[in-house]
């Protein structure tokens, strides 16, 4: 169990590093959050992969968002099963081999519209010099 505790901590740090590399948010003072906007909480979602690898994902607690205020549409870039079958059939008929890819932090590559901004609490468990007064401004 102690080994898992270390593994989950490493998974947390890897996720925070992915966000830092991607520039997912800007740390701001809470006073900079517009009065008509609320701060959305972030939560950790933990998964143990079939390989035994430990994954941690930092997610916005979507149930706290209000449609029309915090968002007006949702989207998830995934491939339809019919598209995958068509791709596999095309590759097979052309004598090509298909491989599987695992894109690390692919979910961070999405773009918000230019006028879309999400305001979040700081990630749980990560203190900053201004701990308690900071917020995250997500506009990337």
């Amino acid at each position: 169990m102690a080994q898992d505790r270390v593994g989950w901590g490493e998974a947390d740090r890897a996720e925070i590093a992915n966000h830092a590399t991607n520039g997912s948010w800007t740390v701001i003072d809470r006073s900079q959050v517009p009065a008509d906007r609320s701060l959305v909480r972030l939560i950790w979602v933990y998964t143990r992969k079939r390989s035994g690898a430990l994954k941690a994902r930092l997610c916005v607690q979507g149930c706290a968002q209000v449609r029309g205020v915090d968002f007006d549409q949702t989207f998830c870039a995934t491939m339809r099963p019919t598209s995958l079958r068509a791709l596999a059939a095309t590759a097979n008929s052309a004598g090509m081999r298909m491989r599987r890819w695992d894109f690390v932090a692919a979910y961070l590559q999405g773009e918000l519209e230019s006028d879309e901004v999400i305001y979040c609490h700081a990630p749980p468990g990560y203190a900053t010099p201004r701990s308690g007064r900071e917020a995250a401004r997500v506009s990337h």
Side-chain angles (χ1 to χ4, degrees):
M1 288 298 175
Q3 183 180 3
D4 276 358
R5 189 175 310 139
V6 171
W8 291 121
E10 289 173 4
D12 282 1
R13 286 186 291 282
E15 176 71 355
I16 292 292
N18 284 336
H19 282 284
T21 299
N22 192 55
S24 298
W25 62 68
T26 304
V27 176
I28 61 171
D29 191 85
R30 284 188 185 189
S31 64
Q32 294 176 279
V33 177
D36 63 334
R37 300 296 301 273
S38 59
L39 283 175
V40 181
R41 295 204 179 279
L42 298 173
I43 59 171
W44 285 105
V45 176
Y46 297 101
T47 308
R48 183 184 303 272
K49 303 296 243 179
R50 281 183 241 173
S51 65
L54 304 177
K55 292 280 192 171
R57 294 289 175 254
L58 191 57
C59 303
V60 170
Q61 191 174 9
C63 63
Q65 293 181 307
V66 178
R67 186 188 250 328
V69 175
D70 297 311
F71 70 95
D72 61 1
Q73 59 183 314
T74 60
F75 177 75
C76 181
T78 59
M79 183 180 282
R80 289 180 160 166
T82 53
S83 299
L84 179 59
R85 286 192 292 273
L87 181 63
T90 302
N92 186 47
S93 68
M96 301 169 84
R97 291 182 349 166
M98 290 184 64
R99 292 184 179 173
R100 183 180 69 168
W101 294 280
D102 182 15
F103 294 96
V104 176
Y107 57 93
L108 295 178
Q109 304 307 315
E111 295 290 331
L112 295 175
E113 297 290 326
S114 61
D115 61 340
E116 289 180 312
V117 179
I118 301 169
Y119 296 96
C120 304
H121 288 277
Y126 284 84
T128 63
R130 300 182 309 194
S131 197
R133 291 293 316 146
E134 72 281 339
R137 181 180 190 275
V138 181
S139 59
H140 174 48

